[in-house]
Every structure is written in C-alpha cells, then in structure tokens.
Amino acid sequence: MTIRKTFARLRSAHEMALIAYETAGFPSLTDSISNIRLLADNGADIIELGIPFSDPIADGPTIQASSHVALEKGISLEQILEIVSHVETETPLVAMSYLNPLLSYGQNHLFEDMKSSGFSGLIIPDLPLEESGDWQRKARENGIDLIFLVTPTTSAERLTALVKASEGFIYCVSLTGITGARTALPPHLSEFIKKVKSLTDKPAAVGFGISTPDHVRQLKGIADGVIVGSRIVRAMKNREDVGALVRGLKEACIES
Amino acid sequence: MSQLPDATGHWGAFGGRYVPETVMTALYELEAEYKAMKKNSSFNREFNQILCQYVGRKTPLYFAERLTRKIGGAKIYLKREDLAHTGAHKINNTIGQILLAKRMSKPRIIAETGAGQHGVATATACALMGLDCDVYMGAVDVKRQRMNVFRMELLGTKVIPVESGSQTLKDAINEAMRDWVTNIENTFYCIGSVVGPHPYPMIVRDFQTIIGQETRRQILDQEGRLPDLLVACVGGGSNAIGLYYPFLEDNAVRIIGVEAAGESIESGKHAASLGQGSPGSLHGAMSYMLQDEHGQVLEAHSISAGLDYPGVGPEHSYLKDIGRVEYVSATDQESLDAFRLLCETEGIIPALESAHAVAHAVKEADNMSQDEIIVVNLSGRGDKDLEIVEGLV
C-alpha cells in the first residue's frame, strides 16, 4: 500500500499513523528484518528503516550506537536492499539514509532498486531542498516518495517550498535538536504543527523526542502521525518487550 | 576562478550546504551578516586593528638562506605564520569569526579541534572578546594533547571530550554540529578550516587571505617579482587557500598543496583525501574524501594531528579538478626529516603540519634553478609537537 493511501485510510478511521523506526542491521541484519514483521504486527502503520552511516550528525546517542553496531558487522545498502526484497508486508517501508551512502550507491540505480525491493519512501536528513532537484525527479520517476523535514527554525518561505516538495507526508521535527527519547514534548509544538497544516493537505507526522503513549495522546487532533525511533531502538537493545511497547503507542494513536 | 563560490556556495560540483534543515536558516543568516560586515568599515577597522596589535601581523616573509644554500636550488622563502599569536595561522580566522559572532549578538561559541590549535585560537579570541566558549575534542586527542587542553582551560574555555566514533577530529566536528543543531538560537559555530557547509569555506578563506595578500606585497618588495612556486600543507586546507587565493589568477605562479601520506600511501594509513579519495558529502559539503566502497567515511592517519582529517575543503577539490593546483603528499618520515632540517639550518622549529610543506618544497627546490623563487607557508610553530617528535628524530 502507498504512504498516501495508508494515511487516507487512517484519517477516515480517525487514527493517527504510527511510524516505527528501526536501524537496519541492528542488533543484526536478520533480527532487523524479522523486526519489520514484529513492528507491523503490533500496530506500526509505516516502518522507517535507518540505513547506517559512520557520521550521523542528526542522530542522538541511541541511534548512533545502533548504527555503529550495524557497521561493525559490515552492513551495506546493497545487502539491505537485497534482504528487504524478500520481506512480504503490506506495511509501507520508508528508508532513512544520510546522503553519502546513497551517492556511493549511485543515484541512477538507487530509486529503481528501492522500488523493486519494496520501499515506498526515502528520507535524507542532510539533503536540503536547494540541492534536491535531481533527487526529486528520480524519486518521482520511480514512484518513491521523497520526504522532506521541516523544523521549528524553518523560515516561512522555506516552509511553503518544503511542504510543496515533500511527498507522502511532511516530517515535522518537533524541536531544534537531534534524535533521542525525551521526557516531555517541547513547548509551542502544536502551534508549529498547525502552521504546517495550514499550508498543505498533505499528512503531517511528528518525530524527534516522541517516546511515550502520553506524548502521542497530546498530539491527537493536531498531527496525522507520530514517528518513534530512539525509544524503539533502545527497547531492542535492552531486549524489552518491543511488541508491547508498539501496541501501547498504537493504542494511544487510536483512542479518542 | 577567484569569483567563486557561486551564489549557492558551489565551486563547480563541490561545496554546497548538505546539512539538516534545522541549521539552514542559520546559514542564510550567517551569509547575510557576513556579506554586510565585509563592507562595513568599522568591522574591518576593528578586525585589522586586532590583527595588527594583538596577533602581531604582518608576519615576516623570511629568506631561508642557509636552507637554500644547503639544497643548492631555488631560493626558499618562509611565510612566518608560526610567529602569529598562539603560534599558528588559525588565529586569523578565529578573530574574524568571533568578531562576527559578537556583532550577531550570539553569546555562546562552540568549536571543534583536533590537535587543539584551532581550539586554542578560538578560546583566545573568546577570552579577548568576553564570550563563553565550549570546544569539542575527540577523547583520544584530549589524551594526546594534554597541554593544549590545559591552555584552553586557562583561557576560560570548557573542553568537552567526544567519546563517539574514532574519538578524533571527524567525531569532534559531528558533535559540534549536533550541539549547533540543538542550540542554534544562541550559539555561533566557529569552524576551524575551509570545510563545512556554505558560507563557511568562503568565510574562513576570506579571513585567511591576509596570508597571501601580505606575501604578495612582501615578495614584490623584496624580490621585485612574483614567486615561481607556492607550497603549503593541506589538511582541511585553510593555511593553503589563504596563501594561494591572491595568486590564483597569476598563471605563471605554480601552486602545490601537500597532503599527509602518513605511514605511506601504499599502507592505506594516510590522510590524502585529494590524492587517494573520491568525491562525496561530509560535514556539510561536497568534496573529495576518504571513504569505503559503501560511502562510509574512513579514518585518516598522520603523525600530524592537524592533517589527520578524511575530508578537505571544497575549493581545493575544485582547484584540483581544473588543474590549477597540484596536490602531492609527504610521509610522516619525510616530514620528520624536514622538521629536523629546518631546526638545524634555520633555528626554526616548525609544526609537523608545516614540515610536510617544507619536505616537498626542498624536493622542488633541488630541481629548480638558483634564480627561481619558492614561498613555503610555515603555518605554525612546533612546540606543540615536541612530545610526539621526541624519540622519533
């Protein structure tokens, strides 16, 4: 199913989308692949698969450490695309990758190979709109949604351009900072999301620092989806009950 | 080519702004403020006054007569950046950036440092101007360079050890960027070389161009003509571009950049990003870099901490590709030999970084005639390296 259809279905059911992140290759490649099913079976509506990079400047300690473990095991984008192509799931898969591994793979094959592996979308946190022309075109040609991030420091002018360019959904970064679980949501978050929603009919999902069902509940009626990353990676690392964690988050997306 | 970068911060395919969205607005603000300051006479007056009275500029262009005679070829001149306050060219840039930060009313400064030279230069400028300063430094480097950590602390700066990744300069830059993303509203990131997202490579180059401007006037005054060859070491490349920039349009002047060949190029343990790397995106810019076949950044190796970096400034990548500058390399051993040679022939203890430039310059001098002229950028003094060198030479 496409990202857009997933959001449309959830919207008519008055549910928020739960976008669950995990790092590909963490704790091992096979575990991360079986965790796709685990996340989906317990309520994740979209799965964001992080492609490990040696220098992840937008990530906090949890995702940095998981990327490091994956790279120590020699994980590569080639391997990830290959193994994901064998995963059968209706849940849309979105890749999150820093630019350099993608450049190294080659822009020309990347989108075709992502498509044939079953990916629906791509997030590149260090690719700004200004440098994204070719990437947008190639993504569109291959039916991959190129998802852009907007942040509380994004100017009004940039915000307008970014919501226009972003496909699938708008990734709203909740705060000025890096990824990582936090105790409370930042102030002014609802005003920021409302500002984004006033500019577009595209779904807006909120990520960075979202880690508890209570955080999710506070966003009901404001955002169309939530992205939970570091909290899930931490649960995988500590061998917590990841299924129960995801179910709890999804229940908070459904409650009215 | 001296008109570059273009309006979007590119030198051909290199440069640009490959950073998270959170800092994009701040980069535009910085660019606008910088362009305004560049034309602001009170800013320029203050900058020049500090360079003159506090840093000790202009630095001499010194004819190394005994070294020249010993080699028996071209005349070798040394641009004495080692005589600038804090002992290296780094101070030219930090004075400029911290003045800019002060005028932008940013109360907090952050910086990254490898060996500690840029950290010390930033801490110095912050002490001079009364601003708070935090410096990120790889945990490995904190242990290797204890005296520089102490220097920064004496100057009122907090040194934050970075435990992630290889715990060296590359990781210190990552952590400084994460801090900047988090504290963007009140924090100014003072980058130490001609690397990072636009407008940094341009700003740092402009502040370092004083080196080449002085050299040009001095050589015309002392020799009545331009040099035949310029030589500088290249890690990120700020001392090199500072020397080269005013000569780029003078096609008769050959220009060479010397990267660190570490143990040797063949061993794979080197820092020759331009010589052995390939284009990619690192720390906010497109440039040559050391990377594996999957686009993961490789660790660099050099006896000289200031050259121990897997990337390089985007302008150097451009100058390499258009063929204006030749990039070569010198090994750890060649640099140690040059270090000793300069100590013995001239009574000058060079930084190990600068010794790479000296090592290549004497090879070139040997093949040139006695009426030709080489200018070597002696970017820093070697006191900081004595512990490393002890027992090796």
Side-chain angles (χ1 to χ4, degrees), chain B residues 372-385:
Chain B
E372 291 186 288
I373 300 167
I374 301 179
V375 173
V376 182
N377 198 5
L378 203 73
S379 54
R381 70 175 183 226
D383 308 50
K384 69 183 177 63
D385 295 318

Side-chain angles (χ1 to χ4, degrees), chain B residues 276-324:
Chain B
Q276 302 296 316
S278 53
S281 149
L282 175 65
H283 294 145
M286 201 67 72
S287 198
Y288 278 84
M289 60 189 275
L290 299 177
Q291 55 182 324
D292 71 11
E293 72 270 33
H294 303 300
Q296 307 296 341
V297 184
L298 293 172
E299 274 181 52
H301 296 270
S302 171
I303 192 171
S304 144
L307 304 181
D308 200 352
Y309 179 59
V312 66
E315 190 164 7
H316 287 290
S317 293
Y318 175 74
L319 293 171
K320 170 192 157 85
D321 275 12
I322 64 166
R324 177 64 187 99

Side-chain angles (χ1 to χ4, degrees), chain B residues 112-169:
Chain B
E112 81 292 339
T113 198
Q117 292 308 101
H118 173 60
V120 169
T122 307
T124 301
C126 288
L128 176 67
M129 294 182 223
L131 296 177
D132 287 339
C133 179
D134 290 342
V135 169
Y136 287 93
M137 188 170 185
V140 169
D141 291 332
V142 167
K143 285 193 203 102
R144 282 198 291 209
Q145 302 283 343
R146 285 210 334 270
M147 287 316 282
N148 270 344
V149 173
F150 183 53
R151 277 193 187 98
M152 287 185 265
E153 287 168 353
L154 280 175
L155 294 161
T157 280
K158 190 168 110 196
V159 178
I160 304 170
V162 176
E163 312 278 353
S164 58
S166 57
Q167 310 190 355
T168 58
L169 176 60

Side-chain angles (χ1 to χ4, degrees), chain A residues 45 58 172 205 207 255:
Chain A
D45 299 298
C172 303
E255 292 162 13

